[in-house]
Amino acid sequence: MSDRFFWPAAEHPIPTSIQIDGDQAHHAIQVMRYRVGDPIVLFDGMGFEYQAEVESIQKKSLNARITLRQQVPPMVDRQISIAVSFPKGDRQRFMIEKLVELGVCQVIPLKTKRSVVEIKANGILRAEKWVIEACKQCRRADLMRIHTEINLDQLVQLDWRASQTDKQAAEATDSLQTTTQTSATLPPIKMPPIKILAHPYGDSSVSIADQPLAANQPVLIAIGPEGGFDEEEVYRLREGGFKTTTFGRGILRTETAAIAAAAWISLIEVKN
């Protein structure tokens, strides 16, 4: 069970005493049974973690005094973006949770001809809650972003510089004691991402293990729905600079392909 709680640091400079409410307060008070004087750990989703002490507890909120603010290294140095046609039902949550654990910086719901679900505003809000819960569990301090749903043309033309996490919160200074280990925020991309298309069909596809990846270069991986991309979509993505890749001899489910791709890129970072 998680002993970390999400607190979006909206104020700058960061106050020394803060209030936690909503789902996070319910979890701390009703589930974890925190009491006045207990130490508590918070994270702000922008790469910072806070050591604090519970000062007071109300029915639906608690107040905590922050004693230490520290920057947490990202789980993966390379920026990994997954553009994927979402699967149905519980498979969505499973995919989101594992991509958070593997250090993916953002997920882009992709609308294709064979897509089985449409990701609307409520679906994005639901996915963002899954992201927070997964970050609490795996001790990640930066939130994986959930992009709005786009089509293939929008994917090819996406402005990567504009889609990155705002650095304002990480660059803010305050009077708290701060320990900086490394940059935990996502800097603006200074080079185009390596574009990889998960496509198990066709002679031109190569294994993901054979894809050349320059050190720390951002990676964008496009993954289709059940049944895959059709021929026209594959052509459009290739024309947009995507290189076709396979994950082996079998055909993986959408969520399995997304997790396998993220795991492979993450392992490359660990080995290097």
Side-chain angles (χ1 to χ4, degrees):
M1 188 174 292
S2 173
D3 59 353
R4 299 168 73 245
F5 300 88
F6 176 58
W7 173 68
E11 298 181 48
H12 301 284
I14 305 297
T16 57
S17 182
I18 58 100
Q19 184 178 72
I20 306 170
D21 50 23
D23 293 341
Q24 300 301 301
H26 174 80
H27 184 198
I29 299 168
Q30 303 298 330
V31 180
M32 300 298 292
R33 301 293 182 179
Y34 273 81
R35 295 292 181 261
V36 173
D38 286 346
I40 188 170
V41 180
L42 314 170
F43 70 100
D44 63 8
M46 295 295 293
F48 284 89
E49 193 171 80
Y50 305 80
Q51 304 293 328
E53 180 180 293
V54 177
E55 288 185 312
S56 63
I57 298 176
Q58 294 77 45
K59 186 176 181 181
K60 295 184 179 181
S61 66
L62 65 81
N63 289 81
R65 180 176 61 87
I66 298 175
T67 57
L68 175 67
R69 174 180 183 245
Q70 57 188 355
Q71 197 170 23
V72 180
M75 301 185 74
V76 179
D77 290 334
R78 187 193 303 273
Q79 294 177 314
I80 306 172
S81 299
I82 305 286
V84 56
S85 180
F86 273 38
K88 293 180 180 179
D90 292 341
R91 291 159 57 193
Q92 288 183 22
R93 180 167 188 166
F94 179 78
M95 179 181 73
I96 293 295
E97 289 176 344
K98 302 312 166 190
L99 295 182
V100 169
E101 293 175 31
L102 290 166
V104 171
C105 73
Q106 70 172 334
V107 169
I108 306 168
L110 192 58
K111 186 170 181 59
T112 70
K113 291 182 180 178
R114 294 172 179 160
S115 291
V116 293
V117 294
E118 182 179 357
I119 305 301
K120 299 181 179 179
N122 286 341
I124 292 174
L125 290 175
R126 184 167 58 248
E128 287 174 343
K129 290 183 178 180
W130 299 337
V131 169
I132 291 172
E133 293 306 309
C135 284
K136 290 169 63 176
Q137 181 275 322
C138 72
R139 299 192 178 278
R140 178 171 172 173
D142 61 298
L143 295 181
M144 181 179 77
R145 296 190 63 215
I146 307 295
H147 202 283
T148 54
E149 187 177 67
I150 62 176
N151 58 38
L152 265 63
D153 289 334
Q154 292 170 317
L155 177 65
V156 171
Q157 300 169 10
L158 194 60
D159 182 355
W160 292 97
R161 293 176 184 271
S163 68
Q164 298 309 300
T165 301
D166 185 7
K167 295 178 66 180
Q168 181 181 0
E171 294 172 346
T173 57
D174 54 52
S175 59
L176 296 174
Q177 180 183 356
T178 301
T179 61
T180 302
Q181 298 169 323
T182 185
S183 177
T185 55
L186 299 173
I189 289 180
K190 297 180 180 179
M191 64 181 81
I194 300 168
K195 297 180 179 181
I196 297 175
L197 165 60
H199 183 57
Y201 311 104
D203 297 335
S204 61
S205 296
V206 298
S207 169
I208 189 171
D210 296 324
Q211 290 285 1
L213 298 178
N216 296 327
Q217 186 171 5
V219 176
L220 166 63
I221 304 169
I223 297 170
E226 297 177 13
F229 296 107
D230 70 10
E231 292 184 6
E232 180 184 351
E233 290 173 329
V234 171
Y235 175 79
R236 287 159 62 195
L237 288 169
R238 284 176 174 167
E239 287 293 299
F242 283 81
K243 299 177 180 179
T244 53
T245 288
T246 64
F247 300 131
R249 297 177 181 177
I251 306 298
L252 303 182
R253 281 191 163 190
T254 298
E255 68 275 17
T256 308
I259 295 166
W264 176 257
I265 304 301
S266 299
L267 286 173
I268 290 175
E269 293 300 308
V270 171
K271 288 171 63 177
N272 291 341

